[in-house]
Short mmCIF file of all heavy atoms in Angstrom, two decimals:
data_model
loop_
_atom_site.label_atom_id
_atom_site.label_comp_id
_atom_site.label_asym_id
_atom_site.label_seq_id
_atom_site.Cartn_x
_atom_site.Cartn_y
_atom_site.Cartn_z
N PHE Y 1 -11.15 -35.60 3.49
CA PHE Y 1 -11.45 -36.23 2.21
C PHE Y 1 -10.16 -36.34 1.39
O PHE Y 1 -9.48 -35.34 1.18
CB PHE Y 1 -12.49 -35.41 1.45
CG PHE Y 1 -12.73 -35.90 0.05
CD1 PHE Y 1 -13.40 -37.10 -0.18
CD2 PHE Y 1 -12.27 -35.18 -1.03
CE1 PHE Y 1 -13.61 -37.56 -1.46
CE2 PHE Y 1 -12.48 -35.64 -2.32
CZ PHE Y 1 -13.16 -36.82 -2.54
N VAL Y 2 -9.83 -37.54 0.99
CA VAL Y 2 -8.65 -37.78 0.17
C VAL Y 2 -9.10 -38.10 -1.25
O VAL Y 2 -9.79 -39.11 -1.48
CB VAL Y 2 -7.79 -38.93 0.72
CG1 VAL Y 2 -6.58 -39.15 -0.17
CG2 VAL Y 2 -7.36 -38.63 2.14
N MET Y 3 -8.77 -37.23 -2.18
CA MET Y 3 -9.17 -37.44 -3.58
C MET Y 3 -8.32 -38.52 -4.21
O MET Y 3 -7.10 -38.49 -4.11
CB MET Y 3 -9.00 -36.13 -4.37
CG MET Y 3 -9.47 -36.23 -5.83
SD MET Y 3 -9.16 -34.69 -6.73
CE MET Y 3 -10.23 -33.56 -5.84
N PRO Y 4 -8.93 -39.51 -4.87
CA PRO Y 4 -8.15 -40.54 -5.55
C PRO Y 4 -7.20 -39.93 -6.57
O PRO Y 4 -7.51 -38.90 -7.19
CB PRO Y 4 -9.22 -41.41 -6.23
CG PRO Y 4 -10.47 -41.13 -5.47
CD PRO Y 4 -10.37 -39.72 -5.00
N ARG Y 5 -6.05 -40.57 -6.74
CA ARG Y 5 -5.01 -40.05 -7.64
C ARG Y 5 -5.54 -39.89 -9.07
O ARG Y 5 -5.29 -38.91 -9.75
CB ARG Y 5 -3.80 -40.97 -7.63
CG ARG Y 5 -2.67 -40.55 -8.54
CD ARG Y 5 -1.47 -41.46 -8.31
NE ARG Y 5 -0.38 -41.12 -9.22
CZ ARG Y 5 -0.24 -41.68 -10.43
NH1 ARG Y 5 -1.12 -42.56 -10.86
NH2 ARG Y 5 0.77 -41.32 -11.20
N ARG Y 6 -6.32 -40.89 -9.54
CA ARG Y 6 -6.82 -40.85 -10.92
C ARG Y 6 -7.73 -39.65 -11.13
O ARG Y 6 -7.65 -38.94 -12.12
CB ARG Y 6 -7.55 -42.15 -11.23
CG ARG Y 6 -8.09 -42.20 -12.66
CD ARG Y 6 -8.68 -43.57 -12.96
NE ARG Y 6 -7.66 -44.60 -12.91
CZ ARG Y 6 -7.91 -45.89 -13.10
NH1 ARG Y 6 -9.14 -46.30 -13.34
NH2 ARG Y 6 -6.93 -46.77 -13.05
N GLU Y 7 -8.63 -39.39 -10.13
CA GLU Y 7 -9.54 -38.26 -10.26
C GLU Y 7 -8.78 -36.94 -10.19
O GLU Y 7 -9.09 -35.98 -10.88
CB GLU Y 7 -10.61 -38.31 -9.16
CG GLU Y 7 -11.65 -37.19 -9.30
CD GLU Y 7 -12.75 -37.29 -8.27
OE1 GLU Y 7 -12.82 -38.33 -7.58
OE2 GLU Y 7 -13.52 -36.33 -8.16
N SER Y 8 -7.75 -36.91 -9.31
CA SER Y 8 -6.93 -35.70 -9.20
C SER Y 8 -6.28 -35.36 -10.52
O SER Y 8 -6.29 -34.20 -10.97
CB SER Y 8 -5.86 -35.90 -8.13
OG SER Y 8 -4.98 -34.81 -8.09
N LEU Y 9 -5.71 -36.36 -11.17
CA LEU Y 9 -5.07 -36.13 -12.47
C LEU Y 9 -6.09 -35.71 -13.51
O LEU Y 9 -5.83 -34.86 -14.36
CB LEU Y 9 -4.33 -37.39 -12.92
CG LEU Y 9 -3.07 -37.73 -12.13
CD1 LEU Y 9 -2.56 -39.12 -12.54
CD2 LEU Y 9 -1.99 -36.69 -12.36
N PHE Y 10 -7.32 -36.31 -13.45
CA PHE Y 10 -8.34 -35.95 -14.42
C PHE Y 10 -8.74 -34.49 -14.27
O PHE Y 10 -8.86 -33.75 -15.24
CB PHE Y 10 -9.58 -36.86 -14.24
CG PHE Y 10 -10.75 -36.45 -15.09
CD1 PHE Y 10 -10.78 -36.76 -16.44
CD2 PHE Y 10 -11.80 -35.72 -14.54
CE1 PHE Y 10 -11.85 -36.36 -17.24
CE2 PHE Y 10 -12.87 -35.33 -15.34
CZ PHE Y 10 -12.90 -35.65 -16.68
N ARG Y 11 -8.95 -34.06 -13.00
CA ARG Y 11 -9.35 -32.68 -12.77
C ARG Y 11 -8.26 -31.71 -13.21
O ARG Y 11 -8.55 -30.67 -13.79
CB ARG Y 11 -9.69 -32.47 -11.29
CG ARG Y 11 -10.96 -33.21 -10.87
CD ARG Y 11 -11.40 -32.79 -9.48
NE ARG Y 11 -12.60 -33.51 -9.07
CZ ARG Y 11 -13.25 -33.24 -7.94
NH1 ARG Y 11 -12.82 -32.29 -7.12
NH2 ARG Y 11 -14.33 -33.92 -7.63
N MET Y 12 -7.02 -32.06 -12.92
CA MET Y 12 -5.92 -31.20 -13.34
C MET Y 12 -5.86 -31.10 -14.86
O MET Y 12 -5.59 -30.06 -15.44
CB MET Y 12 -4.58 -31.71 -12.79
CG MET Y 12 -3.42 -30.77 -13.09
SD MET Y 12 -1.87 -31.32 -12.34
CE MET Y 12 -1.49 -32.71 -13.38
N GLY Y 13 -6.17 -32.25 -15.51
CA GLY Y 13 -6.11 -32.27 -16.97
C GLY Y 13 -7.18 -31.44 -17.62
O GLY Y 13 -7.05 -31.03 -18.78
N THR Y 14 -8.30 -31.17 -16.91
CA THR Y 14 -9.37 -30.36 -17.48
C THR Y 14 -9.30 -28.92 -17.01
O THR Y 14 -10.19 -28.13 -17.29
CB THR Y 14 -10.73 -30.95 -17.09
OG1 THR Y 14 -10.80 -31.04 -15.66
CG2 THR Y 14 -10.90 -32.34 -17.69
N SER Y 15 -8.23 -28.57 -16.30
CA SER Y 15 -8.07 -27.21 -15.80
C SER Y 15 -7.07 -26.44 -16.63
O SER Y 15 -6.43 -26.98 -17.52
CB SER Y 15 -7.58 -27.26 -14.35
OG SER Y 15 -6.25 -27.76 -14.32
N LEU Y 16 -6.95 -25.14 -16.32
CA LEU Y 16 -5.96 -24.31 -17.01
C LEU Y 16 -4.56 -24.83 -16.74
O LEU Y 16 -3.71 -24.84 -17.64
CB LEU Y 16 -6.09 -22.86 -16.53
CG LEU Y 16 -5.20 -21.83 -17.22
CD1 LEU Y 16 -5.54 -21.77 -18.70
CD2 LEU Y 16 -5.38 -20.47 -16.58
N GLY Y 17 -4.33 -25.31 -15.50
CA GLY Y 17 -3.03 -25.89 -15.19
C GLY Y 17 -2.75 -27.11 -16.04
O GLY Y 17 -1.62 -27.36 -16.45
N GLY Y 18 -3.80 -27.89 -16.31
CA GLY Y 18 -3.62 -29.06 -17.16
C GLY Y 18 -3.25 -28.68 -18.58
O GLY Y 18 -2.44 -29.33 -19.23
N ILE Y 19 -3.86 -27.59 -19.09
CA ILE Y 19 -3.52 -27.12 -20.43
C ILE Y 19 -2.06 -26.70 -20.48
O ILE Y 19 -1.33 -27.00 -21.43
CB ILE Y 19 -4.44 -25.95 -20.84
CG1 ILE Y 19 -5.89 -26.46 -20.94
CG2 ILE Y 19 -3.99 -25.34 -22.15
CD1 ILE Y 19 -6.90 -25.35 -21.15
N ALA Y 20 -1.61 -26.00 -19.44
CA ALA Y 20 -0.21 -25.57 -19.39
C ALA Y 20 0.72 -26.78 -19.33
O ALA Y 20 1.76 -26.83 -19.99
CB ALA Y 20 0.02 -24.67 -18.17
N LEU Y 21 0.32 -27.79 -18.52
CA LEU Y 21 1.14 -28.99 -18.41
C LEU Y 21 1.22 -29.71 -19.75
O LEU Y 21 2.29 -30.14 -20.19
CB LEU Y 21 0.57 -29.92 -17.35
CG LEU Y 21 1.27 -31.27 -17.16
CD1 LEU Y 21 2.71 -31.05 -16.71
CD2 LEU Y 21 0.52 -32.14 -16.17
N ALA Y 22 0.08 -29.82 -20.44
CA ALA Y 22 0.07 -30.48 -21.74
C ALA Y 22 0.95 -29.74 -22.73
O ALA Y 22 1.67 -30.35 -23.53
CB ALA Y 22 -1.36 -30.57 -22.26
N SER Y 23 0.89 -28.41 -22.66
CA SER Y 23 1.73 -27.61 -23.56
C SER Y 23 3.20 -27.84 -23.28
O SER Y 23 4.02 -27.98 -24.19
CB SER Y 23 1.39 -26.13 -23.39
OG SER Y 23 2.28 -25.33 -24.11
N MET Y 24 3.52 -27.93 -21.98
CA MET Y 24 4.90 -28.16 -21.57
C MET Y 24 5.38 -29.52 -22.06
O MET Y 24 6.48 -29.67 -22.60
CB MET Y 24 5.01 -28.11 -20.05
CG MET Y 24 6.25 -27.44 -19.51
SD MET Y 24 6.07 -27.10 -17.76
CE MET Y 24 5.79 -28.70 -17.09
N LEU Y 25 4.53 -30.54 -21.89
CA LEU Y 25 4.91 -31.88 -22.32
C LEU Y 25 5.06 -31.95 -23.83
O LEU Y 25 5.97 -32.58 -24.35
CB LEU Y 25 3.85 -32.89 -21.86
CG LEU Y 25 3.80 -33.16 -20.36
CD1 LEU Y 25 2.55 -33.97 -20.00
CD2 LEU Y 25 5.05 -33.88 -19.91
N ALA Y 26 4.16 -31.26 -24.55
CA ALA Y 26 4.26 -31.27 -26.01
C ALA Y 26 5.52 -30.59 -26.47
O ALA Y 26 6.21 -31.05 -27.39
CB ALA Y 26 3.04 -30.57 -26.61
N GLU Y 27 5.88 -29.47 -25.80
CA GLU Y 27 7.09 -28.74 -26.17
C GLU Y 27 8.32 -29.60 -25.92
O GLU Y 27 9.31 -29.52 -26.65
CB GLU Y 27 7.19 -27.45 -25.36
CG GLU Y 27 8.40 -26.61 -25.72
CD GLU Y 27 8.46 -25.32 -24.91
OE1 GLU Y 27 7.45 -24.98 -24.28
OE2 GLU Y 27 9.51 -24.68 -24.91
N ASP Y 28 8.25 -30.48 -24.90
CA ASP Y 28 9.42 -31.27 -24.55
C ASP Y 28 9.44 -32.65 -25.20
O ASP Y 28 10.35 -33.43 -24.97
CB ASP Y 28 9.47 -31.46 -23.03
CG ASP Y 28 10.84 -31.90 -22.56
OD1 ASP Y 28 11.72 -31.04 -22.48
OD2 ASP Y 28 11.02 -33.10 -22.31
N SER Y 29 8.46 -32.93 -26.04
CA SER Y 29 8.34 -34.28 -26.56
C SER Y 29 9.19 -34.54 -27.79
O SER Y 29 9.16 -35.63 -28.33
CB SER Y 29 6.88 -34.58 -26.91
OG SER Y 29 6.46 -33.75 -27.98
N ARG Y 30 9.97 -33.54 -28.26
CA ARG Y 30 10.77 -33.76 -29.46
C ARG Y 30 11.73 -34.91 -29.25
O ARG Y 30 12.25 -35.13 -28.18
CB ARG Y 30 11.55 -32.49 -29.82
CG ARG Y 30 12.70 -32.22 -28.88
CD ARG Y 30 13.64 -31.16 -29.34
NE ARG Y 30 13.76 -31.00 -30.74
CZ ARG Y 30 14.53 -31.72 -31.54
NH1 ARG Y 30 15.22 -32.71 -31.05
NH2 ARG Y 30 14.59 -31.46 -32.82
N GLY Y 31 11.94 -35.69 -30.30
CA GLY Y 31 12.86 -36.81 -30.20
C GLY Y 31 12.19 -38.09 -29.76
O GLY Y 31 12.72 -39.15 -29.95
N GLN Y 32 10.99 -38.00 -29.19
CA GLN Y 32 10.33 -39.23 -28.79
C GLN Y 32 9.61 -39.83 -29.99
O GLN Y 32 9.54 -39.26 -31.07
CB GLN Y 32 9.33 -38.94 -27.65
CG GLN Y 32 10.05 -38.44 -26.39
CD GLN Y 32 9.12 -38.40 -25.21
OE1 GLN Y 32 8.49 -39.39 -24.88
NE2 GLN Y 32 9.03 -37.27 -24.57
N GLU Y 33 8.99 -41.00 -29.78
CA GLU Y 33 8.35 -41.72 -30.86
C GLU Y 33 7.28 -40.87 -31.52
O GLU Y 33 6.57 -40.12 -30.87
CB GLU Y 33 7.71 -43.01 -30.32
CG GLU Y 33 8.69 -43.90 -29.61
CD GLU Y 33 8.80 -43.61 -28.13
OE1 GLU Y 33 8.64 -42.45 -27.74
OE2 GLU Y 33 9.03 -44.56 -27.38
N SER Y 34 7.17 -40.98 -32.82
CA SER Y 34 6.14 -40.26 -33.56
C SER Y 34 5.62 -41.17 -34.65
O SER Y 34 6.11 -42.26 -34.88
CB SER Y 34 6.72 -38.98 -34.17
OG SER Y 34 7.65 -39.31 -35.17
N ASP Y 35 4.57 -40.70 -35.34
CA ASP Y 35 4.00 -41.50 -36.42
C ASP Y 35 5.02 -41.75 -37.52
O ASP Y 35 4.93 -42.72 -38.25
CB ASP Y 35 2.77 -40.78 -37.00
CG ASP Y 35 1.64 -40.72 -35.98
OD1 ASP Y 35 1.63 -41.56 -35.06
OD2 ASP Y 35 0.77 -39.85 -36.12
N ALA Y 36 6.00 -40.84 -37.64
CA ALA Y 36 7.02 -40.99 -38.69
C ALA Y 36 8.07 -42.02 -38.31
O ALA Y 36 8.90 -42.38 -39.13
CB ALA Y 36 7.67 -39.64 -38.96
N GLY Y 37 8.04 -42.49 -37.06
CA GLY Y 37 9.05 -43.46 -36.64
C GLY Y 37 10.07 -42.81 -35.73
O GLY Y 37 10.46 -41.66 -35.94
N PRO Y 38 10.52 -43.53 -34.72
CA PRO Y 38 11.40 -42.95 -33.70
C PRO Y 38 12.77 -42.55 -34.21
O PRO Y 38 13.43 -41.71 -33.61
CB PRO Y 38 11.50 -44.05 -32.65
CG PRO Y 38 11.24 -45.31 -33.42
CD PRO Y 38 10.23 -44.95 -34.45
N MET Y 39 13.24 -43.17 -35.30
CA MET Y 39 14.59 -42.89 -35.76
C MET Y 39 14.63 -42.01 -37.01
O MET Y 39 15.67 -41.82 -37.61
CB MET Y 39 15.34 -44.20 -36.02
CG MET Y 39 15.57 -45.02 -34.76
SD MET Y 39 16.45 -44.13 -33.46
CE MET Y 39 18.07 -44.05 -34.22
N GLN Y 40 13.48 -41.48 -37.44
CA GLN Y 40 13.48 -40.58 -38.57
C GLN Y 40 14.24 -39.30 -38.22
O GLN Y 40 14.26 -38.88 -37.06
CB GLN Y 40 12.04 -40.22 -38.96
CG GLN Y 40 11.24 -41.37 -39.56
CD GLN Y 40 11.71 -41.73 -40.96
OE1 GLN Y 40 12.30 -40.91 -41.64
NE2 GLN Y 40 11.45 -42.96 -41.37
#
């Protein structure tokens, strides 16, 4: 059984690993576009 990529990402996103990944991405997102504008 080969799990589709989209479903794999969805399952990872609802797991503890997904929470850790989201935290990692949020921690590394400084400097990217934000509601205040990318060059603020």
Side-chain angles (χ1 to χ4, degrees):
F1 173 71
V2 180
M3 183 183 296
R5 179 173 177 270
R6 181 174 296 178
E7 184 177 349
S8 174
L9 289 171
F10 173 78
R11 292 190 181 186
M12 185 176 72
T14 56
S15 68
L16 184 62
I19 295 172
L21 177 62
S23 173
M24 219 167 58
L25 289 170
E27 182 179 347
D28 197 78
S29 66
R30 73 169 331 277
Q32 296 190 54
E33 304 90 328
S34 67
D35 293 338
M39 295 304 289
Q40 291 289 337

